C-alpha cells in the first residue's frame, strides 16, 4: 500500500505540473489574442485617418457608426511584443547552434583544434586535466538582420575566434549556480570584467547588458553590449545564451583610439551547467564563446592576441571558478524569502526560483532570485553533457521545448 501511495503521489505531482503548464499556455494564448485585437484597432485607426482626417485622435468609428476607444499605448505595446519575439527567436537559435557545436560535433572534427594549457601554468591551472579547451576560427554566424548597422562587408567576411570548453567543478550544482549568480563574486574568478551594468530587462529571464574589459596584451580596453537569456531544461540543466546587439542607451566607439573603450562583440555564446551524472557532488560546465574584438584589428593581430591568451585564460577561469565555488559561503547567497522579486518569481507558473547567472568575456548576467523559464515539453530530449568522444548517441534538441514568456 505504501508503494502504491508513493506511486500515486508521483503521478499526481506530474499531472499537477502538466496542468499548471497547460494553464500557463492557455493564459498566454488569451493574452496574445487580446494583443492582436489591439493591433487591429490601431491598424483600423490609421486607415480611417488616411481616408478621413475628421476622426479625433485616439478614437475610431465602429461598424454601427459609434466611436470607440483606442488604447493609447497599442502601438507601443505592439513594438515591445515584436521586439520580445525577436529576442525569443534569438535565444532559440543560439541554443540550437551552441548545442550542435558543443555536443553533436566531434571534439576535434570540422576544424576544431584542441588547445593545451601553457606549460608554465599547467601545474597551477590544469594539473588534473579538469578543463579541455578547443579553438576554431569562424565567420559571424548571426542572422544578417541581427548584425550591427554600418558594419562593412569586409568585416563580416572575416573569421573570428570561437572557443568551446568543458570543465568539471568539485562542488554541487546548487553551490556552483549560487556562486556564479552572485555578482559580488566576479573578482574571484574573472579578471577580465572591470565594469558592468544592466541596460534593459526584456523579460524576467532575459536582459541586455553592458560590460567593460581591461587592456589585454596590445588590445586596448573593450566594451560590449550583449543580449543574455536563461532557462532550465527538464533534466535540471541551466542554459544561458548570449548574442551581441545594439542599444541606444549604450552607443559604442567603433574606431580604435577614439574613446575610452572600443566596442567589441560577444557574437554568440552559451553556458550549460548540469550535475555530474557520475558524482552528485560535482558539476559539469560546457561553454561556447564566439567573439569579435572590434576596432578593425587585422587578422594577424587577432591571431597573435588569441594565441597569447587562449593557452591560459580559459584554464584560469575554470580553476578560479572551482576554487571559488568550493570556498563559497552559502549564507552570502541567502536572500529574504519575503523580497518582492522572489515573491514575484515564485508566483509565476512555469518559472524557476533557482538562481542563475555568470560573468564572461563580453557579458555579465545575473538572476539571483530566479525567473528562468522551465521547460514545458515533458517528452523533450536533449544531449547529455557526455564527454566520452567514443559515444555516438543520437542527440538532438526538440523544436518545441520552449515556454513562451508572458
Amino acid at each position: 500500500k505504501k508503494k502504491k501511495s508513493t506511486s500515486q503521489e508521483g503521478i499526481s505531482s506530474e499531472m499537477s505540473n502538466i496542468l499548471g503548464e497547460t494553464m500557463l499556455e492557455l493564459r498566454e494564448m488569451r493574452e496574445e489574442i487580446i494583443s492582436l485585437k489591439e493591433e487591429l484597432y490601431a491598424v483600423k485607426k490609421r486607415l480611417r485617418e488616411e481616408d478621413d482626417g475628421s476622426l479625433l485622435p485616439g478614437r475610431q468609428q465602429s461598424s454601427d457608426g459609434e466611436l470607440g476607444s483606442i488604447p493609447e499605448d497599442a502601438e507601443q505595446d505592439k513594438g515591445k511584443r515584436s521586439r520580445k519575439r525577436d529576442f525569443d527567436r534569438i535565444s532559440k537559435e543560439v541554443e540550437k547552434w551552441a548545442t550542435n557545436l558543443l555536443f553533436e560535433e566531434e571534439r576535434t572534427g570540422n576544424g576544431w583544434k584542441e588547445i593545451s594549457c601553457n606549460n608554465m601554468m599547467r601545474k597551477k591551472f590544469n594539473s588534473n586535466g579538469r578543463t579541455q579547451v578547443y579553438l576554431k576560427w569562424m565567420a559571424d554566424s548571426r542572422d544578417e538582420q541581427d548584425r550591427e548597422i554600418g558594419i562593412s562587408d569586409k568585416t563580416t567576411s572575416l573569421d573570428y575566434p570561437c572557443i568551446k570548453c568543458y570543465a568539471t567543478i568539485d562542488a554541487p550544482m546548487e553551490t556552483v549556480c549560487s556562486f556564479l549568480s552572485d555578482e559580488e563574486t566576479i573578482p574571484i574568478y574573472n579578471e577580465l570584467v572591470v565594469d558592468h551594468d544592466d541596460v534593459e530587462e526584456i523579460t524576467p529571464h532575459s536582459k541586455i547588458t553592458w560590460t567593460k574589459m581591461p587592456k589585454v596584451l596590445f588590445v586596448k580596453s573593450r566594451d560590449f553590449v550583449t543580449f543574455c537569456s536563461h532557462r532550465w531544461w527538464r533534466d535540471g540543466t541551466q542554459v544561458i545564451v548570449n548574442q551581441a546587439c545594439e542599444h541606444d542607451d549604450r552607443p559604442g566607439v567603433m574606431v580604435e583610439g577614439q574613446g575610452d573603450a572600443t566596442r567589441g562583440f560577444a557574437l554568440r555564446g552559451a553556458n550549460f551547467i548540469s550535475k555530474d551524472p557520475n558524482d552528485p557532488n560535482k558539476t559539469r560546465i560546457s561553454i561556447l564563446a564566439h567573439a569579435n574584438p572590434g576596432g578593425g584589428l587585422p587578422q594577424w593581430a587577432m591571431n597573435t592576441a588569441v594565441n597569447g591568451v587562449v593557452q591560459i585564460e580559459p584554464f584560469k577561469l575554470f580553476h578560479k571558478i572551482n576554487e571559488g565555488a568550493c570556498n563559497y559561503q552559502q549564507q552570502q547567497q541567502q536572500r529574504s524569502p519575503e523580497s518582492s522579486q522572489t515573491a514575484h518569481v515564485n508566483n509565476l507558473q512555469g518559472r524557476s526560483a533557482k538562481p542563475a547567472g555568470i560573468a564572461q568575456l563580453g557579458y555579465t548576467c545575473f538572476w539571483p532570485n530566479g525567473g528562468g523559464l522551465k521547460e514545458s515539453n515533458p517528452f523533450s530530449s536533449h544531449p547529455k553533457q557526455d564527454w566520452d568522444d567514443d559515444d555516438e548517441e543520437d542527440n538532438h534538441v526538440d523544436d518545441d521545448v520552449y515556454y513562451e514568456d508572458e
Side-chain angles (χ1 to χ4, degrees), residues 167-169 171-173 176 273-276 281-285:
T168 299
I169 306 301
M173 182 178 174
V176 174
I273 305 176
S274 65
K275 293 181 179 180
D276 188 327
N281 292 315
K282 293 186 178 182
T283 303
R284 287 184 170 181
I285 303 181

Side-chain angles (χ1 to χ4, degrees), residues 7 60 87 116 270 285 316:
S7 176
Q60 75 172 23
F87 283 120
S116 299
I285 303 181
K316 180 166 69 173

Side-chain angles (χ1 to χ4, degrees), residues 13-183:
S13 176
E14 181 68 18
M15 287 297 297
S16 177
N17 289 336
I18 293 175
L19 286 173
E21 294 168 357
T22 303
M23 290 299 296
L24 176 63
E25 291 175 350
L26 289 173
R27 186 171 74 242
E28 290 172 347
M29 289 174 61
R30 177 177 176 274
E31 292 174 352
E32 193 66 25
I33 291 172
I34 293 173
S35 299
L36 289 173
K37 186 177 179 180
E38 291 176 349
E39 291 180 21
L40 286 174
Y41 273 130
V43 171
K44 288 180 180 179
K45 173 178 178 289
R46 287 198 304 271
L47 291 175
R48 289 176 181 271
E49 287 179 345
E50 289 176 1
D51 294 336
D52 182 3
S54 62
L55 292 180
L56 296 175
R59 306 281 287 181
Q60 75 172 23
Q61 192 171 11
S62 62
S63 59
D64 58 4
E66 295 182 357
L67 290 176
S69 298
I70 299 295
E72 295 182 359
D73 57 350
E75 285 295 319
Q76 183 178 2
D77 288 344
K78 177 183 176 182
K80 288 182 179 180
R81 287 191 300 273
S82 175
R83 191 159 178 263
K84 189 191 81 64
R85 284 195 292 268
D86 283 341
F87 283 120
D88 285 342
R89 169 187 58 81
I90 289 172
S91 296
K92 296 176 184 180
E93 290 177 354
V94 175
E95 182 177 325
K96 188 174 183 179
W97 168 81
T99 301
N100 177 62
L101 294 183
L102 281 169
F103 307 122
E104 296 180 11
E105 281 192 355
E106 294 182 10
R107 288 285 183 89
T108 55
N110 198 23
W112 289 99
K113 177 184 177 182
E114 184 169 7
I115 303 297
S116 299
C117 186
N118 179 279
N119 289 333
M120 296 180 64
M121 299 294 181
R122 185 176 303 159
K123 184 175 181 180
K124 180 177 181 181
F125 293 146
N126 204 37
S127 60
N128 60 357
R130 117 173 28 261
T131 303
Q132 296 86 49
V133 177
Y134 302 82
L135 172 67
K136 179 181 179 179
W137 290 82
M138 302 165 50
D140 188 346
S141 62
R142 295 175 297 168
D143 287 345
E144 189 170 343
Q145 62 179 319
D146 299 326
R147 297 177 184 177
E148 294 71 27
I149 299 174
I151 297 297
S152 66
D153 293 337
K154 181 179 179 180
T155 300
T156 57
S157 65
L158 291 175
D159 287 340
Y160 302 105
C162 186
I163 297 174
K164 60 181 181 182
C165 308
Y166 308 84
T168 299
I169 306 301
D170 299 326
M173 182 178 174
E174 293 76 11
T175 300
V176 174
C177 290
S178 293
F179 172 73
L180 293 176
S181 71
D182 185 353
E183 62 182 294

Side-chain angles (χ1 to χ4, degrees), residues 83 196-202 207-211 224-226 246-250 364:
R83 191 159 178 263
H196 67 95
D197 192 20
D198 287 350
V199 179
E200 179 186 353
E201 181 181 89
I202 305 299
K207 62 179 68 177
I208 294 176
T209 72
W210 172 82
T211 307
F224 304 80
V225 173
T226 311
E246 294 182 295
H247 200 284
D248 292 341
D249 291 346
R250 288 286 185 173
T364 52

